Amino acid sequence: MKKILFLTGTRADYGKIKSLMRKVDNSPNLELYIFVTGMHMLSTYGSTWKELDKDGFQNKYHFVNQQQNSKMDMALSNTILGLSNYVHELKPDLIVVHGDRLEALGGAIVGAFNNIKVAHIEGGEVSGTIDESIRHSITKLSHIHFVSNDEAKKRIIQLGEREESIFVIGSPDIDVMLSNDLPSIEQVKERYEISFDQFSVLMYHPVTTQVNMLQRNVQQLIDALIESDGNYVVIYPNNDEGSNIILNEYQRLNNNTRFKLFPSMRFEYFLTLLKHCDFIIGNSSAGIREAGVYGVPSIDIGTRQLGRYDTTKNQTITPVEESKESILKAIFKQDGLRVFSNEFGDGNSDDKFLAILEEGKIWDIDVQKRFIDYYYTGDKAYV
């Protein structure tokens, strides 16, 4: 029986990897363990660790690695310390991390230093901030790579990883997006007491490399949204440095009936909300990936997702600079046209993930890594 340890630090990564966790949990050959940390443990963001309890997962270990608006380096060091102590007791066969958050980097570091195989979900993707550097660092520390598409695979090969260690399974959140198990929009509105007939979604996060500009940028954004005279469902930013600046600016919306603010929202409910909104605005990856799958127009503000929309086929994205005039122009330009785009799988990544784990070949992958040099002829890579 192989022990598979998943690490989750946010409402977002949990929603994306939950289907994979469920497959492992139901397998007679694998045993699921979960290290729960990060924003999950903060009451400001809704104490979302409770969602794992509601979903019935067992073998969970809760660890507080940060306070609100903690410095990333302190949260990373705390994650490494807490996870290191835990894996010395558990002795997992595989640590599974997702994306580009600091908790995932901590998981990859702990695995690499303890000769425990690390599997990275959704490596090889680009964004445009420190997140991209973190994602590629996780790739270099990981032994097994589960990627969303062939473009991501090529980037991981460029990083010197063995092609035999890279598996294209699609994006796990597409499994949830295309499932028949999502709540209806009526259920979502009832649960979260949303009375709007028409609305848009705001998700805006700090850009940690531009914190000195954040106060001005978020002020411009809120000025534009108030002046637009539309209805908005607002979801709190992540807990990166500068989140307090955004939350303080959001206080201007507290008594405005055209805005409904939420610290967090269950992933399935958020997807239904996204599917039925007029557009999504902000700088979340949801405006690049999930919005494209549903054909929802997206107004992408600033540089946080710069690399992502440069490489995506999503035609519904309107990039704008962080000024009130540019944002208002983009809002009033929206015509409701929906162009569907899915570059990230067919909704069965969980089945592919489980098959690879149970097939057994990955357990023969050596934890001792070496850089693989490639040269290219056209699109073809050669060792």
Side-chain angles (χ1 to χ4, degrees), residues 1-4 24 29-33 93-94 357 363:
M1 181 79 72
K2 297 288 188 183
K3 294 180 180 179
I4 312 298
V24 170
N29 304 312
L30 305 171
E31 193 169 7
L32 174 68
Y33 292 85
D93 297 285
L94 181 70
L357 262 60
W363 305 113

Side-chain angles (χ1 to χ4, degrees), residues 65-66 69-81 102 105-106 109 130 134 208 239-241:
N65 73 339
Q66 62 185 268
N69 203 45
S70 287
K71 293 285 187 179
M72 291 178 66
D73 54 352
M74 291 298 295
L76 174 60
S77 64
N78 290 338
T79 304
I80 293 171
L81 178 62
L102 67 89
L105 178 58
I109 290 172
I130 187 65
I134 293 174
T208 56
N239 197 37
D240 286 345
E241 182 182 359

